[in-house]
Amino acid sequence: MTPRWYPLRLSTPVARHVFGGRAIADRLGRRGLPAGRIAETWEVSDVDGRGAEVVAGPLAGRTLRELTRAHPDELVGPGWRGDRFPLLTKFIDGTGMLPVHVHADDETARRLEGEPNGKTEAWHVLDAAPGATAFIGTREGVDRAELRSALLAEDFGSVLRELPLRPGDTVYVPGRTPHSFGPDALIHEIEQTSDIQQHAMPWNMQDGSPVDPEQRRANVERLLDEWDPAARPHPTPGLRLPPSGDADRVLCCAGPHFALERWRLGTGTERELPAGRVLLLSNAGGVARVRSAGGDDELEPGRTLLLPAALERASITGPADVLLGYLPDLDRDVRRPLLAAGYGPEAIAALHGG
């Protein structure tokens, strides 16, 4: 039986990794988090062991995976098929530095990890201290032996590109790109559904306990096997689409696996949300109001709604500052509107690290 669809509130597993702090609560305004260190809230997840379930309404108790498999056209979009929900989103508190690590791309994940897909991701910087930086890809000319030596010595700056992180920037990070960010950065992340990674650190990110030296050398070798020496993406401020009244719309990033936009609406301004495909709506500002055929919702700070593809209509009313993640049709949703707005191919390619 096909459900009556409405905006879905999901459970959000929490990760207490050692690099976290209290920024998601204190700076983003998220309520209801447990006490202590919070590194990540997994806003929409179908990762094994950290899968979400619906927490309100008629579908409460149904898992995201169950709904994805039973109703792919209605939940994700007409014609889409897959065993897992395709998008993963998080808020990440980089109070401390994240481990330097690499995620496989699709081909490498199948060949070396036995996984169906890799993990390309993008970070949208919500807040960062003056002078905050990120490691993103390797410097030109670095070879495998040099990278191995520097990673084992934790001499990251000698081999990795260290670039500034500024609020409002987005970094599209293709699989196989060595990366890290922090300290003192608050990030919204969108990515492929996967939790595979290889990291170079002598400590475990879950609790800070030491990694056995032999295991660490093996970790570094696997990281080197998955590394792409040519991957050198840059932070970008995104591309602003023509304004419509008291509304600001920025296309932050867009590639074959996902797109991310940021919308800011003035008080009383109402805008229709994209329909016909799944939409992940995450709140980076104060309380926002979402109206849909399934009812009215208040979206609290630091919270996310999943809007199913079959939802007939939905709108958001300002004041609002929200992030919209979705599976794009790159020609319809990205190239054509940006070309019409006067952007060239090079600027558009920068949205996916090109």
Side-chain angles (χ1 to χ4, degrees):
M1 181 176 177
T2 300
R4 178 177 176 271
W5 294 102
Y6 59 97
L8 303 180
R9 292 181 180 270
L10 302 175
S11 59
T12 54
V14 165
R16 295 181 176 273
H17 303 326
V18 294
F19 55 79
R22 294 297 300 175
I24 297 174
D26 295 344
R27 290 154 71 178
L28 192 58
R30 170 74 171 262
R31 294 184 177 180
L33 291 173
R37 182 176 61 218
I38 303 292
E40 301 174 350
T41 59
W42 291 41
E43 297 297 300
V44 175
S45 171
D46 196 12
V47 171
D48 289 339
R50 291 187 182 271
E53 65 177 40
V54 182
V55 298
L59 295 174
R62 301 281 293 274
T63 68
L64 183 57
R65 184 165 301 182
E66 178 186 358
L67 292 173
T68 298
R69 290 179 174 177
H71 307 285
D73 293 300
E74 296 88 351
L75 182 70
V76 183
W80 183 91
R81 292 295 181 270
D83 288 333
R84 298 185 293 185
F85 187 78
L87 297 175
L88 171 64
T89 60
K90 305 175 183 178
F91 289 115
I92 302 179
D93 175 357
T95 291
M97 179 183 171
L98 274 69
V100 171
H101 60 290
V102 161
H103 305 298
D105 63 7
D106 290 348
E107 185 278 329
T108 308
R110 291 188 286 267
R111 179 168 51 86
L112 295 180
E113 302 278 3
E115 292 286 335
N117 61 267
K119 187 175 178 179
T120 286
E121 64 187 38
W123 324 324
H124 181 73
V125 185
L126 298 173
D127 196 11
T133 61
F135 289 124
I136 314 169
T138 46
R139 297 174 181 268
E140 283 197 55
V142 171
D143 62 20
R144 183 178 178 119
E146 186 178 1
L147 182 56
R148 176 193 297 111
S149 177
L151 293 178
L152 290 172
E154 298 182 74
D155 184 15
F156 305 123
S158 68
V159 290
L160 300 180
R161 301 159 67 241
E162 188 169 10
L163 302 176
L165 276 189
R166 300 181 182 91
D169 278 355
T170 304
V171 187
Y172 185 95
V173 186
R176 302 180 61 206
T177 306
H179 61 277
S180 172
F181 60 78
D184 206 8
L186 179 61
I187 300 291
H188 176 272
E189 185 173 75
I190 184 168
E191 56 207 308
Q192 293 176 272
T193 295
S194 172
D195 199 30
I196 55 174
Q197 66 171 302
Q198 302 296 334
H199 77 78
M201 312 307 284
W203 42 266
N204 289 301
M205 69 178 180
Q206 289 81 6
D207 59 6
S209 61
V211 175
D212 176 80
E214 186 174 339
Q215 181 60 55
R216 183 176 179 229
R217 286 191 290 272
N219 293 346
V220 169
E221 289 304 317
R222 177 57 70 88
L223 184 156
L224 294 169
D225 289 341
E226 299 187 2
W227 161 54
D228 178 5
R232 296 187 182 89
H234 289 269
T236 170
L239 300 178
R240 179 164 277 102
L241 290 165
S244 176
D246 193 8
D248 183 59
R249 178 186 173 196
V250 175
L251 186 51
C252 302
C253 69
H257 304 297
F258 51 77
L260 184 69
E261 300 186 14
R262 189 167 184 175
W263 290 19
R264 294 181 173 95
L265 307 180
T267 301
T269 297
E270 183 175 14
R271 289 290 177 269
E272 292 292 315
L273 292 165
R277 90 299 278 292
V278 71
L279 184 69
L280 309 184
L281 186 66
S282 296
N283 192 357
V287 175
R289 179 161 293 280
V290 179
R291 304 179 188 275
S292 73
D296 290 356
D297 289 270
E298 282 193 346
L299 184 58
E300 301 88 356
R303 294 281 187 173
T304 299
L305 288 173
L306 186 156
L307 278 59
L311 197 63
E312 292 179 4
R313 62 170 183 80
S315 65
I316 186 165
T317 301
D321 183 356
V322 293
L323 295 149
L324 289 72
Y326 57 93
L327 300 174
D329 177 314
L330 288 174
D331 187 55
R332 179 194 66 197
D333 300 325
V334 179
R335 294 190 187 97
R336 278 189 275 169
L338 290 177
L339 289 170
Y343 294 106
E346 185 175 341
I348 296 171
L351 293 175
H352 61 266

